[in-house]
Coordinates of all heavy atoms in Angstrom, one line a residue:
E520 N -74.2 146.8 65.0 CA -73.4 147.0 66.2 C -72.4 145.8 66.3 O -72.7 144.7 66.2 CB -74.3 147.0 67.4 CG -73.5 147.1 68.7 CD -74.4 146.9 70.0 OE1 -75.6 147.0 69.8 OE2 -73.8 146.6 71.0
Y521 N -71.1 146.2 66.4 CA -70.0 145.3 66.5 C -70.0 144.7 67.9 O -70.1 145.3 68.9 CB -68.7 145.9 66.2 CG -67.5 145.1 66.6 CD1 -67.0 143.9 65.9 CD2 -66.7 145.4 67.8 CE1 -65.9 143.3 66.2 CE2 -65.7 144.7 68.2 CZ -65.2 143.6 67.5 OH -64.1 142.9 67.8
V522 N -69.8 143.4 68.0 CA -69.9 142.6 69.3 C -68.5 142.2 69.7 O -67.9 142.6 70.7 CB -70.9 141.4 69.3 CG1 -70.8 140.7 70.7 CG2 -72.3 141.9 68.9
T523 N -67.9 141.3 68.9 CA -66.6 140.7 69.2 C -65.9 140.1 68.0 O -66.7 139.8 67.0 CB -66.7 139.7 70.3 OG1 -65.4 139.2 70.7 CG2 -67.6 138.5 69.9
D524 N -64.7 139.8 68.1 CA -64.1 138.9 67.1 C -64.3 137.4 67.4 O -64.5 137.1 68.6 CB -62.5 139.1 67.1 CG -62.2 140.4 66.4 OD1 -63.1 141.1 65.9 OD2 -61.0 140.7 66.4
C525 N -64.5 136.6 66.4 CA -64.7 135.1 66.7 C -64.2 134.4 65.5 O -63.8 134.9 64.4 CB -66.2 135.0 66.8 SG -67.2 135.3 65.4
S526 N -64.2 133.0 65.6 CA -63.8 132.2 64.5 C -65.0 131.5 63.9 O -66.2 131.6 64.5 CB -62.9 131.1 65.1 OG -63.6 130.1 65.9
D527 N -64.9 131.0 62.7 CA -66.1 130.5 62.0 C -66.5 129.1 62.5 O -67.4 128.5 62.0 CB -65.8 130.4 60.5 CG -64.5 129.7 60.2 OD1 -63.9 129.0 61.2 OD2 -64.0 129.8 59.1
I528 N -65.8 128.7 63.6 CA -66.3 127.4 64.2 C -66.8 127.6 65.7 O -67.0 126.7 66.4 CB -65.2 126.3 64.2 CG1 -64.0 126.8 65.0 CG2 -64.8 126.0 62.7 CD1 -62.9 125.7 65.1
D529 N -66.9 128.8 66.1 CA -67.3 129.1 67.4 C -68.8 129.0 67.6 O -69.6 128.9 66.6 CB -66.9 130.5 67.8 CG -65.5 130.7 68.3 OD1 -65.0 129.7 68.7 OD2 -64.9 131.8 68.1
D530 N -69.3 128.8 68.8 CA -70.7 128.9 69.2 C -70.9 130.2 69.8 O -70.1 130.8 70.5 CB -71.0 127.8 70.2 CG -71.0 126.4 69.5 OD1 -71.4 126.3 68.3 OD2 -70.7 125.4 70.1
I531 N -72.1 130.7 69.6 CA -72.6 132.0 70.1 C -73.7 131.9 71.1 O -74.7 131.2 70.8 CB -72.9 133.0 69.0 CG1 -71.7 133.1 67.9 CG2 -73.3 134.4 69.5 CD1 -70.5 133.7 68.6
I532 N -73.6 132.6 72.2 CA -74.7 132.5 73.2 C -75.4 133.9 73.0 O -74.9 134.9 73.1 CB -74.2 132.3 74.7 CG1 -75.4 132.1 75.6 CG2 -73.2 133.3 75.1 CD1 -75.0 131.7 77.0
M533 N -76.7 133.8 73.0 CA -77.6 134.9 72.9 C -78.8 134.9 73.9 O -79.5 133.9 74.1 CB -78.2 135.0 71.5 CG -77.1 135.0 70.4 SD -77.6 134.5 68.8 CE -77.7 132.6 69.0
I534 N -79.1 136.1 74.5 CA -80.1 136.2 75.5 C -81.0 137.4 75.2 O -80.4 138.4 74.9 CB -79.5 136.2 77.0 CG1 -78.7 135.0 77.2 CG2 -80.6 136.4 78.0 CD1 -77.9 135.1 78.6
T535 N -82.2 137.2 75.4 CA -83.2 138.4 75.0 C -83.7 139.0 76.4 O -83.7 138.3 77.4 CB -84.3 137.9 74.2 OG1 -85.2 137.0 74.9 CG2 -83.8 137.3 72.9
N536 N -84.4 140.0 76.3 CA -85.0 140.7 77.5 C -86.3 139.9 78.1 O -86.7 140.3 79.1 CB -85.3 142.2 77.3 CG -86.3 142.4 76.1 OD1 -86.8 141.5 75.6 ND2 -86.4 143.7 75.7
S537 N -86.7 139.0 77.3 CA -87.8 138.2 77.9 C -87.3 136.9 78.5 O -88.1 136.1 78.9 CB -88.7 137.8 76.6 OG -88.1 137.0 75.7
G538 N -86.0 136.8 78.6 CA -85.4 135.7 79.4 C -85.2 134.5 78.5 O -85.0 133.3 79.1
K539 N -85.2 134.5 77.2 CA -85.0 133.5 76.4 C -83.5 133.4 76.1 O -82.9 134.4 75.8 CB -85.8 133.6 75.1 CG -87.2 133.8 75.2 CD -88.0 132.7 75.9 CE -89.5 132.9 76.0 NZ -90.2 131.7 76.6
M540 N -82.9 132.2 76.1 CA -81.5 132.0 75.8 C -81.4 130.9 74.7 O -82.2 130.0 74.7 CB -80.8 131.5 77.0 CG -79.3 131.3 76.9 SD -78.5 130.5 78.2 CE -79.0 128.8 77.9
M541 N -80.4 131.1 73.8 CA -80.2 130.2 72.6 C -78.7 130.2 72.4 O -78.1 131.3 72.4 CB -81.0 130.4 71.5 CG -80.9 129.5 70.3 SD -82.1 129.7 69.0 CE -81.4 131.2 68.3
V542 N -78.1 129.0 72.0 CA -76.7 128.9 71.6 C -76.7 128.4 70.2 O -77.4 127.3 69.8 CB -75.9 128.1 72.5 CG1 -74.5 127.9 72.0 CG2 -75.9 128.6 73.9
S543 N -76.0 129.1 69.2 CA -76.0 128.7 67.9 C -74.6 128.8 67.3 O -73.8 129.5 67.9 CB -76.9 129.5 66.9 OG -78.3 129.3 67.3
K544 N -74.3 128.1 66.2 CA -73.0 128.2 65.5 C -72.9 129.4 64.8 O -73.9 130.0 64.3 CB -72.8 127.0 64.6 CG -71.4 126.7 64.3 CD -71.2 125.4 63.6 CE -69.8 125.0 63.4 NZ -69.1 124.8 64.7
V545 N -71.7 130.1 64.7 CA -71.6 131.3 64.1 C -72.0 131.2 62.6 O -71.8 130.1 61.9 CB -70.1 131.8 64.0 CG1 -69.8 132.8 63.1 CG2 -69.6 132.2 65.4
D546 N -72.8 132.1 62.2 CA -73.3 132.1 60.7 C -73.4 133.5 60.3 O -73.2 134.5 61.0 CB -74.7 131.5 60.8 CG -75.0 130.8 59.4 OD1 -74.3 131.3 58.4 OD2 -75.9 130.0 59.3
S547 N -73.8 133.7 59.1 CA -73.8 135.0 58.4 C -75.0 135.8 59.0 O -74.8 137.0 59.2 CB -73.9 134.9 57.0 OG -75.0 134.2 56.5
K548 N -76.1 135.2 59.3 CA -77.2 135.9 59.9 C -78.2 134.8 60.5 O -78.6 133.9 60.0 CB -78.0 136.6 58.7 CG -79.0 137.6 59.2 CD -79.6 138.3 58.0 CE -80.6 139.3 58.5 NZ -81.2 140.1 57.4
I549 N -78.3 135.1 61.8 CA -79.2 134.2 62.6 C -80.3 135.1 63.3 O -80.1 136.1 63.8 CB -78.4 133.6 63.8 CG1 -77.2 132.9 63.2 CG2 -79.3 132.6 64.6 CD1 -76.2 132.4 64.3
F550 N -81.6 134.6 63.1 CA -82.7 135.3 63.9 C -82.8 134.7 65.2 O -83.0 133.5 65.4 CB -84.1 135.1 63.0 CG -85.2 135.8 63.8 CD1 -85.3 137.1 63.7 CD2 -86.1 135.1 64.4 CE1 -86.3 137.8 64.3 CE2 -87.2 135.7 65.1 CZ -87.3 137.1 65.0
V551 N -82.8 135.6 66.2 CA -82.9 135.3 67.6 C -84.3 135.7 68.3 O -84.9 135.0 69.0 CB -81.7 135.9 68.5 CG1 -81.9 135.4 69.9 CG2 -80.4 135.5 67.9
G552 N -84.6 136.9 67.8 CA -85.8 137.5 68.5 C -85.5 139.0 69.0 O -84.4 139.2 69.2
K553 N -86.6 139.8 68.9 CA -86.3 141.3 69.4 C -85.9 141.3 70.7 O -86.3 140.4 71.6 CB -87.6 142.0 69.0 CG -87.9 142.1 67.5 CD -89.1 143.0 67.2 CE -89.3 143.1 65.7 NZ -90.4 144.0 65.4
G554 N -85.2 142.4 71.1 CA -84.8 142.6 72.4 C -83.6 141.9 72.9 O -83.6 141.4 74.1
I555 N -82.6 141.7 72.1 CA -81.4 141.1 72.4 C -80.6 141.9 73.5 O -80.3 143.1 73.2 CB -80.5 140.8 71.2 CG1 -81.3 139.9 70.2 CG2 -79.2 140.1 71.6 CD1 -80.5 139.7 68.9
I556 N -80.2 141.3 74.6 CA -79.6 142.0 75.7 C -78.1 141.4 75.9 O -77.2 142.1 76.4 CB -80.2 142.0 77.0 CG1 -80.4 140.5 77.4 CG2 -81.6 142.7 76.9 CD1 -80.9 140.4 78.9
H557 N -77.8 140.2 75.2 CA -76.5 139.7 75.5 C -76.1 138.9 74.3 O -76.8 138.0 73.9 CB -76.4 138.9 76.8 CG -75.2 138.2 76.9 ND1 -73.9 138.9 77.3 CD2 -74.8 136.9 77.0 CE1 -72.9 138.0 77.4 NE2 -73.4 136.8 77.3
V558 N -74.9 139.0 73.8 CA -74.3 138.2 72.7 C -72.8 138.0 73.1 O -72.1 139.0 73.3 CB -74.5 138.8 71.3 CG1 -73.8 137.9 70.3 CG2 -75.9 139.1 71.0
A559 N -72.4 136.8 73.1 CA -71.0 136.5 73.3 C -70.6 135.1 72.8 O -71.5 134.3 72.5 CB -70.6 136.6 74.8
V560 N -69.2 134.9 72.6 CA -68.7 133.6 72.3 C -69.0 132.6 73.5 O -68.6 132.9 74.6 CB -67.2 133.6 71.9 CG1 -66.7 132.2 71.6 CG2 -67.0 134.5 70.7
F561 N -69.6 131.4 73.1 CA -69.9 130.5 74.1 C -68.7 129.5 74.3 O -68.3 128.9 73.3 CB -71.2 129.8 73.8 CG -71.6 128.7 74.8 CD1 -72.0 129.0 76.0 CD2 -71.5 127.4 74.4 CE1 -72.4 128.0 77.0 CE2 -71.9 126.4 75.3 CZ -72.3 126.7 76.6
K562 N -68.3 129.2 75.6 CA -67.4 128.2 75.9 C -68.0 127.0 76.6 O -68.6 127.2 77.6 CB -66.2 128.8 76.7 CG -65.6 130.0 76.1 CD -64.6 130.6 77.1 CE -63.9 131.8 76.5 NZ -63.1 132.5 77.5
K563 N -67.8 125.8 76.0 CA -68.4 124.6 76.6 C -67.8 124.3 77.9 O -66.6 124.6 78.2 CB -68.2 123.5 75.7 CG -69.1 123.5 74.4 CD -68.8 122.3 73.5 CE -69.6 122.4 72.2 NZ -69.4 121.3 71.3
K564 N -68.6 123.9 78.8 CA -68.0 123.4 80.2 C -67.4 124.5 81.0 O -66.5 124.3 81.7 CB -67.0 122.2 80.0 CG -67.7 121.0 79.4 CD -66.7 119.8 79.3 CE -67.3 118.7 78.6 NZ -66.3 117.5 78.5
D565 N -67.8 125.7 80.7 CA -67.2 126.9 81.3 C -68.0 127.1 82.7 O -69.1 127.7 82.6 CB -67.2 128.1 80.4 CG -66.6 129.4 81.1 OD1 -66.1 129.2 82.1 OD2 -66.8 130.5 80.5
K566 N -67.4 126.8 83.8 CA -68.0 127.0 85.1 C -67.5 128.3 85.9 O -67.9 128.4 87.0 CB -67.9 125.8 85.9 CG -68.5 124.5 85.4 CD -68.4 123.3 86.2 CE -69.0 122.1 85.5 NZ -68.9 120.8 86.3
R567 N -66.8 129.0 85.2 CA -66.2 130.3 85.8 C -67.1 131.5 85.3 O -67.3 132.4 86.1 CB -64.9 130.5 85.4 CG -63.9 129.5 86.2 CD -62.4 130.0 86.2 NE -62.2 131.0 87.0 CZ -62.0 130.9 88.3 NH1 -62.0 129.7 88.9 NH2 -61.7 132.0 89.1
T568 N -67.6 131.4 84.0 CA -68.4 132.6 83.7 C -69.7 132.5 84.4 O -70.5 131.5 84.3 CB -68.6 132.4 82.1 OG1 -67.4 132.6 81.5 CG2 -69.6 133.7 81.6
T569 N -70.0 133.5 85.1 CA -71.3 133.5 86.0 C -72.2 134.6 85.5 O -71.7 135.8 85.2 CB -70.9 133.7 87.4 OG1 -69.9 132.8 87.8 CG2 -72.1 133.7 88.4
Y570 N -73.4 134.3 85.4 CA -74.5 135.2 84.9 C -75.3 135.7 86.1 O -75.8 134.9 86.9 CB -75.4 134.6 83.9 CG -74.6 134.1 82.6 CD1 -74.2 132.8 82.5 CD2 -74.4 135.0 81.6 CE1 -73.5 132.5 81.4 CE2 -73.7 134.6 80.5 CZ -73.2 133.3 80.4 OH -72.5 132.9 79.3
N571 N -75.4 137.0 86.3 CA -76.2 137.6 87.4 C -77.5 138.1 86.7 O -77.5 138.9 85.8 CB -75.5 138.8 88.0 CG -74.2 138.3 88.7 OD1 -74.0 137.0 89.1 ND2 -73.3 139.2 88.9
L572 N -78.7 137.7 87.2 CA -79.9 138.0 86.6 C -81.0 138.4 87.6 O -81.1 137.8 88.7 CB -80.4 136.7 85.8 CG -81.8 136.9 85.1 CD1 -81.7 137.9 84.0 CD2 -82.2 135.5 84.6
I573 N -81.7 139.5 87.3 CA -83.0 139.8 88.0 C -84.1 139.9 87.0 O -84.0 140.6 86.0 CB -82.9 141.2 88.8 CG1 -81.7 141.0 89.9 CG2 -84.1 141.6 89.5 CD1 -81.4 142.4 90.6
Y574 N -85.3 139.3 87.3 CA -86.3 139.2 86.4 C -87.7 139.3 87.1 O -87.8 139.0 88.3 CB -86.3 137.9 85.5 CG -86.6 136.7 86.2 CD1 -87.9 136.2 86.3 CD2 -85.6 136.0 86.9 CE1 -88.2 135.0 87.0 CE2 -85.9 134.8 87.6 CZ -87.2 134.3 87.7 OH -87.5 133.1 88.3
K575 N -88.7 139.8 86.3 CA -90.1 139.9 86.8 C -90.8 138.6 86.3 O -90.8 138.3 85.1 CB -90.8 141.1 86.2 CG -92.1 141.3 86.8 CD -92.8 142.6 86.4 CE -93.1 142.6 84.9 NZ -93.8 143.8 84.5
D576 N -91.5 138.0 87.2 CA -92.1 136.6 87.0 C -93.5 136.8 86.5 O -94.5 136.8 87.2 CB -92.0 135.7 88.2 CG -92.5 134.4 87.9 OD1 -92.4 133.9 86.7 OD2 -93.1 133.7 88.8
G577 N -93.6 137.1 85.1 CA -94.9 137.3 84.5 C -95.5 138.7 84.8 O -94.9 139.5 85.5
K578 N -96.6 139.0 84.2 CA -97.3 140.3 84.4 C -97.7 140.4 85.8 O -98.6 139.6 86.3 CB -98.4 140.5 83.4 CG -98.0 140.6 82.1 CD -99.2 141.0 81.1 CE -98.7 141.2 79.6 NZ -99.8 141.4 78.7
G579 N -97.2 141.4 86.6 CA -97.8 141.7 87.9 C -97.0 140.7 88.9 O -97.4 140.7 90.0
G580 N -96.2 139.8 88.5 CA -95.7 138.8 89.3 C -94.4 139.4 90.2 O -94.1 140.6 90.0
A581 N -93.9 138.7 91.1 CA -92.9 139.0 91.9 C -91.5 139.1 91.1 O -91.4 138.7 90.1 CB -92.7 138.0 93.1
T582 N -90.5 139.8 91.8 CA -89.2 139.9 91.2 C -88.3 139.0 91.8 O -88.2 138.9 93.1 CB -88.8 141.4 91.3 OG1 -89.7 142.2 90.6 CG2 -87.4 141.6 90.6
Y583 N -87.5 138.2 91.0 CA -86.6 137.3 91.5 C -85.0 137.6 91.1 O -84.9 138.2 90.0 CB -86.9 135.9 91.0 CG -88.2 135.3 91.7 CD1 -89.4 135.6 91.1 CD2 -88.1 134.5 92.7 CE1 -90.5 135.1 91.5 CE2 -89.3 133.9 93.3 CZ -90.5 134.3 92.8 OH -91.6 133.8 93.3
I584 N -84.2 137.1 91.9 CA -82.7 137.3 91.7 C -82.1 135.9 91.6 O -82.4 135.0 92.4 CB -82.1 138.2 92.7 CG1 -80.6 138.4 92.3 CG2 -82.1 137.5 94.0 CD1 -79.9 139.4 93.3
K585 N -81.1 135.7 90.7 CA -80.5 134.4 90.5 C -79.1 134.6 90.0 O -78.8 135.6 89.3 CB -81.3 133.5 89.7 CG -81.5 133.9 88.3 CD -82.4 133.1 87.5 CE -81.9 131.7 87.2 NZ -82.9 131.0 86.3
R586 N -78.2 133.6 90.3 CA -76.8 133.6 89.7 C -76.7 132.1 89.1 O -77.0 131.2 89.8 CB -75.7 133.8 90.8 CG -75.8 135.3 91.3 CD -74.6 135.4 92.2 NE -73.4 135.8 91.5 CZ -72.2 135.6 92.0 NH1 -72.0 135.1 93.3 NH2 -71.1 136.0 91.3
F587 N -76.2 132.0 88.0 CA -76.0 130.6 87.4 C -74.9 130.6 86.4 O -74.3 131.6 86.0 CB -77.4 130.3 86.7 CG -77.7 131.2 85.6 CD1 -77.4 130.9 84.3 CD2 -78.5 132.4 85.8 CE1 -77.8 131.9 83.2 CE2 -78.9 133.2 84.8 CZ -78.5 133.1 83.5
N588 N -74.5 129.4 86.0 CA -73.5 129.1 84.9 C -74.3 128.4 83.8 O -75.4 127.8 84.0 CB -72.4 128.2 85.4 CG -71.8 128.8 86.6 OD1 -71.7 128.1 87.6 ND2 -71.2 130.0 86.5
V589 N -73.7 128.5 82.6 CA -74.2 127.8 81.5 C -73.1 126.9 81.0 O -72.1 127.3 80.4 CB -74.7 128.7 80.3 CG1 -75.2 127.8 79.2 CG2 -75.8 129.6 80.8

Side-chain angles (χ1 to χ4, degrees):
E520 179 187 342
Y521 165 77
V522 179
T523 183
D524 286 357
C525 63
S526 73
D527 52 12
I528 59 173
D529 278 336
D530 289 326
I531 303 300
I532 184 170
M533 299 156 287
I534 299 174
T535 67
N536 58 11
S537 61
K539 306 295 182 183
M540 183 191 78
M541 185 171 70
V542 175
S543 296
K544 200 165 188 67
V545 168
D546 206 341
S547 58
K548 192 173 183 180
I549 305 168
F550 179 72
V551 181
K553 294 184 178 181
I555 299 173
I556 60 173
H557 176 68
V558 179
V560 175
F561 177 69
K562 300 174 183 176
K563 293 179 182 178
K564 300 180 182 179
D565 180 10
K566 294 180 181 178
R567 291 194 72 82
T568 298
T569 305
Y570 300 94
N571 300 336
L572 176 69
I573 298 176
Y574 69 93
K575 184 175 71 173
D576 187 25
K578 289 184 177 179
T582 300
Y583 288 85
I584 185 172
K585 63 191 284 188
R586 300 183 76 201
F587 60 94
N588 306 123
V589 180

